[in-house]
Amino acid sequence: MDSSSTRRQATRAKLYEAAVTLIAEQGFSATTVDEIAERAGVAKGTVYYNFASKAELFEELLRYGVGLLTQSLQRAADETAERGGSNVDALDAMIRAGLGFIDTYPAFTQLYVAELWRTNRAWQSTLLVVRQQAVAVVEGVLREGVAAGELSSELDIPLTAAALVGMVLVAALDWQAFQPERTIDDVHKALSRLVQGRVAGTRP
């Protein structure tokens, strides 16, 4: 990657960070391009050089953020497989990875969950695509678990995968908003026991 591409990626990362923070604070409609540029420490023209509009910036922000989450989940699954762990172990590792992502990017997670419920946005189709990419990682592990006999063949894989991703998102947001005294280990342990006792069909 050449230096110009590296600089552009760094600039975009600053714009994403500024946009997600501002939109989480005051909403999409109330946030202006001027404010995003000021928060990112760049000229307004830099925003339009990288993105045609505020809406495009937000759409790309969703792609970027969910892409990071997907990579985190996939990495957790791959590393578990490399260690010789089971598919249930991979699910547990992905729960931990998801919690870690949300702990690192709480403002983005809040925006992502909020946008899932809004069906009138221009970027709704993009959001559905990137959501499915994250869920597909979990689906893959569930399918492998069923094939290996670790999980019940009666498992509804698409719905279970979506439920697991949703469980992590909602539990993590609840943790941060209402139970901040808990550690990530506390939350991971609780969700891990739920998966071990329900999805895996074993007793905690």
Side-chain angles (χ1 to χ4, degrees):
M1 184 180 296
D2 60 36
S3 59
S4 62
S5 296
T6 302
R7 284 196 303 271
R8 189 175 189 192
Q9 284 193 354
T11 299
R12 283 183 165 230
K14 287 196 297 184
L15 291 171
Y16 290 144
E17 183 178 351
V20 74
T21 303
L22 285 165
I23 294 170
E25 290 173 356
Q26 56 195 33
F28 176 80
S29 297
T31 299
T32 67
V33 172
D34 286 325
E35 289 173 321
I36 293 171
E38 182 179 358
R39 181 69 64 94
V42 300
K44 182 178 180 179
T46 301
V47 180
Y48 288 115
Y49 175 76
N50 285 274
F51 306 99
S53 64
K54 184 178 69 170
E56 182 181 293
L57 166 57
F58 190 65
E59 183 172 347
E60 290 303 313
L61 168 62
L62 291 172
R63 287 183 185 276
Y64 175 76
V66 180
L68 290 179
L69 172 60
T70 302
Q71 292 170 19
S72 178
L73 297 177
Q74 187 64 65
R75 185 164 53 251
D78 292 344
E79 290 175 352
T80 301
E82 290 170 4
R83 294 194 301 269
S86 68
N87 289 290
V88 176
D89 292 332
L91 291 174
D92 186 65
M94 287 193 290
I95 289 172
R96 178 67 184 227
L99 291 173
F101 173 87
I102 295 164
D103 191 38
T104 303
Y105 304 103
F108 173 79
T109 305
Q110 291 170 18
L111 281 180
Y112 171 66
V113 171
E115 289 301 315
L116 285 175
W117 294 99
R118 296 191 174 107
T119 59
N120 61 340
R121 300 291 207 189
W123 49 78
Q124 185 67 20
S125 60
T126 296
L127 184 59
L128 293 177
V129 169
V130 295
R131 169 205 168 273
Q132 184 53 38
Q133 290 171 352
V135 173
V137 177
V138 183
E139 287 183 3
V141 172
L142 290 174
R143 287 196 178 88
E144 291 177 8
V146 170
E150 297 174 41
L151 305 174
S152 170
S153 60
E154 297 179 355
L155 201 66
D156 185 323
I157 291 175
L159 186 57
T160 301
L164 288 173
V165 172
M167 175 186 72
V168 173
L169 288 171
V170 174
L173 291 176
D174 185 90
W175 157 44
Q176 294 184 340
F178 303 113
Q179 305 180 65
E181 73 281 0
R182 291 183 179 272
T183 66
I184 191 172
D185 291 331
D186 292 335
V187 182
H188 175 225
K189 185 181 296 183
L191 298 186
S192 178
R193 284 176 175 167
L194 182 61
V195 170
Q196 291 284 345
R198 299 293 180 241
V199 175
T202 59
R203 294 182 182 277

